[in-house]
């Protein structure tokens, strides 16, 4: 079986190549990748290359396929796994295997560490350790992009599960956000912030009573409010407010006032910026939990924190990086119940767009960049479909289909794209 894939050979050295996959072993599975969502983690891996914790040291001789937020269908199932999986099953993969037997030990992950599996490919071989660790997840919903986005959604699910609160006088920690409490998502209208909002307002088990989302970009705030409206949140008993702290003289005072001076039980920081961390610290309630979600690029990144409050007000910090398999299962289950992650997606492209997109990801505005690996198409903002449709009927129809879904990517658009876009 031949595959086309984007492989990492070294620092800033990504190549789109065609090569032969070996025949699968009885404990492996051959799969067709349909789509992959490009993550900032792939940008970091491509720039750090063999010094990255998840990337093998010998990629100059044995390059790895990049991309870890992908979905597709199974083509051939090895004998060992025939009782659990079958040809035609749709799938998503939890990339964080936590398996000590992987190419770089416990940090091994598809999309970073393997020669024959990664999201930016047409066909891949799923190794035994993925199935052994329960990381090959069946997806029975419509389309493919929701399964691809289950990985980023699982990251915010994991973040909310990782928060904790205490009981004064005991040493018991109660995991999770505070049910019926005050929550703030700071710098919260980027792709992952939108995923957090979407998840928070659709939960039924643990949910805040007040949810404040801040940013300094009014355009992005307006888009977030259009996608996930206060009216939708109110139907689930949540008071959702979008706040532009960039136009406030004293944002921390104003934010605390919204809680009647009590502060926030759960604060999530979605940008690695020192003033935002300081702001988060200042608005914590008694026993408040600050979740530092954003991953800094600098290994010596530091920010001040009020340790008087740590001692006397029980404030505390957690940090999360990714979700686990149970979080991905929860993401897939919620999608089956109607949670649509399409609001994360702002750009669509083919496998030919992967290298430039990955290498320049921080400078490309918008949300998630969704790649369909069996087509050739430049990375294109959904917002430009209408203009491009004046000369290209493909984009004209995609614009029509997206407009019918509040300007968002959708299953109908995906089906049309796969049927009509230029094939490799």
């Amino acid at each position: 079986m031949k595959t086309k894939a984007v492989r990492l050979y070294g620092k800033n050295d990504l190549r789109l190549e065609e090569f032969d996959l070996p025949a699968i072993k009885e404990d492996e599975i051959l799969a067709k990748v349909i789509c992959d969502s490009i993550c900032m983690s792939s940008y970091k891996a491509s720039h750090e290359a063999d010094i990255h914790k998840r990337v093998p040291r010998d990629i100059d001789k044995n390059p790895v396929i990049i991309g870890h937020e992908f979905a597709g269908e199974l083509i051939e199932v090895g004998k060992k796994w025939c009782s659990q999986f079958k040809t035609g099953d749709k799938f998503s993969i939890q990339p964080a295997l936590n398996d000590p037997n992987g190419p770089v030990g416990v940090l091994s992950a598809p999309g970073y560490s393997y020669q024959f599996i990664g999201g930016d490919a047409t066909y891949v071989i799923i190794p035994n350790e993925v199935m052994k660790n329960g990381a090959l997840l069946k997806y029975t919903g419509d389309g493919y992009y929701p399964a691809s986005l289950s990985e980023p959604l699982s990251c915010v699910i994991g973040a909310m599960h990782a928060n904790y609160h205490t009981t004064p006088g005991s040493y018991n920690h109660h995991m999770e956000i505070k049910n019926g409490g005050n929550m703030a998502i700071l710098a919260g209208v980027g792709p992952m912030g939108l995923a957090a909002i979407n998840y928070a307002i659709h939960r039924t088990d643990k949910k805040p009573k007040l949810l404040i989302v801040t940013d300094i970009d009014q355009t992005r705030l307006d888009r977030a409010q259009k996608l996930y409206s206060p009216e939708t949140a109110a139907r689930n008993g949540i008071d959702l407010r979008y706040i532009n702290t960039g136009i406030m003289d004293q944002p921390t005072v104003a934010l605390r006032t919204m809680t009647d001076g009590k502060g926030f039980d759960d604060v999530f920081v979605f940008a690695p910026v020192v003033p935002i961390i300081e702001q988060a610290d200042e608005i914590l309630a008694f026993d408040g939990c600050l979740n530092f979600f954003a991953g800094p690029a600098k290994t010596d990144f530091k920010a001040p924190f009020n340790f008087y409050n740590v001692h006397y007000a029980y404030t505390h910090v957690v940090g999360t990086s990714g979700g686990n398999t149970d979080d991905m299962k929860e993401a897939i289950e919620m999608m089956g119940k109607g949670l649509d992650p399409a609001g994360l997606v702002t750009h669509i492209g083919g496998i030919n767009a992967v290298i430039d997109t990955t290498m320049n990801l921080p400078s490309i505005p918008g949300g998630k960049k969704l790649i369909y690996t069996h087509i050739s198409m430049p990375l294109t903002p959904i917002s430009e479909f209408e203009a491009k449709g004046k000369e290209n009927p493909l984009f004209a129809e995609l614009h029509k289909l997206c407009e019918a879904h509040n300007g968002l990517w959708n299953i109908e658009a995906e089906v049309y794209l796969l049927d009509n876009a230029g094939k490799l």
Side-chain angles (χ1 to χ4, degrees):
M1 170 70 73
K2 287 190 179 293
T3 187
K4 286 189 176 180
V6 176
R7 298 198 285 184
L8 178 63
Y9 281 83
K11 187 175 181 180
N12 302 324
D13 187 359
L14 290 173
R15 307 178 195 175
L16 176 59
E17 301 174 313
E18 184 175 60
F19 55 94
D20 289 312
L21 292 173
I24 66 167
K25 302 172 186 175
E26 67 174 18
D27 62 355
E28 297 176 330
I29 295 177
L30 177 68
K32 178 181 181 180
V33 177
I34 301 297
C35 58
D36 176 63
S37 172
I38 297 182
C39 177
M40 186 62 74
S41 296
S42 292
Y43 165 82
K44 294 175 184 176
S46 67
H47 283 67
E48 294 177 8
D50 58 357
I51 67 170
H52 192 284
K53 296 292 186 183
R54 295 188 186 276
V55 177
R57 305 287 85 96
D58 65 344
I59 55 172
D60 58 327
K61 300 180 181 66
N62 298 298
V64 294
I65 302 176
I66 64 164
H68 60 275
E69 298 178 359
F70 59 103
E73 63 182 54
L74 305 184
I75 301 299
E76 182 183 351
V77 179
K79 181 180 178 181
K80 179 178 179 179
W81 300 107
C82 282
S83 62
Q84 295 184 41
F85 302 98
K86 65 181 186 301
T87 298
D89 282 348
K90 293 197 289 186
F91 74 89
S92 181
I93 283 180
Q94 163 56 265
L97 301 180
N98 300 313
D99 189 320
N101 298 314
V104 292
V106 72
L107 291 177
S108 298
Y112 300 90
S113 319
Y114 290 87
Q115 290 180 260
F116 302 125
I117 182 172
D120 293 313
T122 52
Y123 295 91
V124 298
I125 294 176
I126 307 175
N128 179 61
E129 52 261 43
V130 172
M131 285 72 77
K132 183 183 70 174
N133 286 280
L136 178 60
L137 306 177
K138 291 183 183 179
Y139 173 69
T140 58
D142 294 332
Y144 292 93
Y145 77 83
S148 175
L149 295 171
S150 65
E151 197 281 334
L153 181 58
S154 77
C155 296
V156 300
I157 290 175
M160 294 196 191
H161 291 337
N163 269 30
Y164 71 92
H165 299 280
T166 64
T167 301
S170 81
Y171 301 108
N172 296 322
H173 290 178
H174 306 286
M175 302 305 298
E176 265 287 1
I177 63 170
K178 185 173 181 179
N179 193 34
N182 300 324
M183 179 191 292
I185 300 177
L186 307 186
V189 290
M192 298 308 293
L194 293 176
I197 300 165
N198 195 8
Y199 176 64
I201 67 174
H202 283 94
R203 293 187 72 180
T204 56
D205 54 344
K206 295 283 195 306
K207 56 187 178 183
K209 183 177 181 180
L210 173 67
L211 174 56
I212 301 294
V213 179
T214 75
D215 206 273
I216 58 173
D217 186 326
Q218 191 60 49
T219 300
R220 297 210 307 175
L221 282 164
D222 291 341
R223 179 176 184 268
Q225 183 162 329
K226 181 181 178 182
L227 295 176
Y228 309 117
S229 70
E231 292 76 18
T232 300
R235 288 194 287 270
N236 196 22
I238 299 171
D239 178 6
L240 170 61
R241 309 178 198 176
Y242 292 93
I243 305 298
N244 187 337
T245 52
I247 60 176
M248 292 178 169
D249 291 331
Q250 296 180 298
T252 56
V253 174
L255 292 173
R256 290 190 70 94
T257 299
M258 296 174 192
T259 67
D260 296 325
K262 296 177 181 178
F264 290 84
D265 304 292
D266 298 281
V267 180
F268 293 83
V269 175
F270 275 80
V273 179
V274 171
I276 295 178
I277 297 171
E278 292 183 279
Q279 184 182 98
D281 179 24
E282 292 176 21
I283 64 175
L284 286 172
F286 182 87
D287 189 37
C289 185
L290 189 161
N291 188 303
F292 183 57
F293 184 91
K298 296 182 178 180
T299 57
D300 61 349
F301 181 83
K302 299 176 183 178
F305 198 74
N306 188 326
F307 280 89
Y308 182 91
N309 286 342
V310 170
H311 189 83
Y312 288 107
Y314 291 32
T315 59
H316 45 274
V317 179
V318 299
T320 52
S321 177
N324 61 25
T325 302
D326 286 338
D327 298 326
M328 279 195 68
K329 289 178 179 177
E330 182 178 347
I332 291 171
E333 180 184 359
M334 290 193 71
M335 289 174 189
K337 295 179 178 177
L339 187 151
D340 188 345
L344 277 70
V345 180
T346 57
H347 294 64
I348 305 295
I351 196 169
N352 57 303
V354 169
I355 294 177
D356 285 345
T357 302
T358 303
M359 296 301 296
N360 298 291
L361 194 58
S363 62
I364 304 174
K368 282 288 185 182
K369 284 70 184 176
L370 187 61
I371 298 295
Y372 286 90
T373 62
H374 287 262
I375 69 169
S376 178
M377 173 179 163
L379 186 72
T380 307
I382 295 173
S383 62
E384 293 183 9
F385 283 176
E386 182 178 19
K388 292 184 179 297
K390 294 176 181 178
E391 297 182 358
N392 187 326
L394 173 74
F395 288 113
E397 183 62 23
L398 289 176
H399 169 67
K400 184 190 302 182
L401 292 170
C402 289
E403 280 300 292
H405 291 80
N406 200 26
L408 299 179
W409 192 241
N410 56 85
I411 301 300
E412 291 88 344
E414 178 179 83
V415 171
Y416 181 83
L417 179 74
L418 293 174
D419 287 344
N420 295 278
K423 302 296 189 291
L424 292 179

